[in-house]
Amino acid sequence: FTSENVDKLVLDMRRNGGGNANVSYELAGRFLRGQSRTIFSERRFTQGGSLSGPVLTTLSPEDRPPFDGDLVLLIGPITGSAAESFTFAIRSLPHATLIGAPTAGVLSRTGRVLPNQWAVSLTIGQIASPEGELFEAVGIPPDITVPVFTDAEYDAERDSAIEAALDFFASD
């Protein structure tokens, strides 16, 4: 980005339902300037049903120069799982702005493959912001709320999130 003089970037995660959380943290690290920072804490349910003490997840900068411009991340109700982990990491950065609608609210680690190769998905913990905010089942809210992929948007051949991102950068 630096060699191309890119100083503003829009990333669209509205149709990203997830993937590998470790990859999302690695990608988010490319936008981190300076020191590592705690992005969330996780408490897992124990066999007795109580919650363990918090385990902190830290975002670390990558070994290459970070993106040094302003970042807009487009999010919506399909943004889930590892894409939500990426959103969680990005929301902690002062040069990032979230635009769209709340994410899916499926942050907890859930998947297990059984010996017969069937998969089961059960929430096994709670993930909270460093301030203690919980987003499970409610989603991560945007900084700027606009409609995301509604029927009215399709009928009008309009994308309010892209428009809001361009307006946000134009007012800069």
Side-chain angles (χ1 to χ4, degrees):
F1 294 115
T2 305
S3 64
E4 299 298 325
N5 296 319
V6 174
D7 63 350
K8 296 176 185 345
L9 181 64
V10 176
L11 292 178
D12 191 347
M13 301 294 274
R14 293 175 293 171
R15 291 192 184 272
N16 189 327
N20 184 314
N22 292 331
V23 172
S24 71
Y25 303 138
E26 185 176 322
L27 178 60
R30 294 184 181 183
F31 298 96
L32 178 62
R33 302 173 188 161
Q35 301 288 330
S36 296
R37 65 176 53 218
T38 299
I39 54 173
F40 65 80
S41 67
E42 180 177 8
R43 297 175 58 176
R44 294 199 175 183
F45 290 108
T46 65
Q47 289 204 358
S50 61
L51 286 169
S52 68
V55 176
L56 302 179
T57 296
T58 303
L59 182 64
S60 299
E62 287 292 299
D63 291 336
R64 60 186 82 180
F67 174 67
D68 200 30
D70 294 322
L71 173 64
V72 164
L73 183 66
L74 304 181
I75 59 172
I78 299 172
T79 309
S81 193
E84 251 174 328
S85 297
F86 179 76
T87 302
F88 221 127
I90 293 298
R91 77 185 285 272
S92 71
L93 305 178
H95 58 285
T97 301
L98 307 182
I99 295 178
T103 61
V106 290
L107 291 153
S108 295
R109 302 182 197 287
T110 61
R112 295 289 182 259
V113 177
L114 302 175
N116 64 359
Q117 299 306 302
W118 289 15
V120 63
S121 182
L122 300 169
T123 298
I124 59 171
Q126 288 181 336
I127 294 179
S129 71
E131 298 78 33
E133 300 167 284
L134 297 172
F135 299 107
E136 193 72 30
V138 296
I140 300 168
D143 300 308
I144 300 170
T145 301
V146 297
V148 173
F149 303 134
T150 63
D151 289 341
E153 291 265 297
Y154 284 120
D155 292 344
E157 295 182 6
R158 182 173 184 202
D159 189 332
S160 295
I162 293 287
E163 291 173 10
L166 296 175
D167 289 346
F168 176 79
F169 284 143
S171 68
D172 224 6

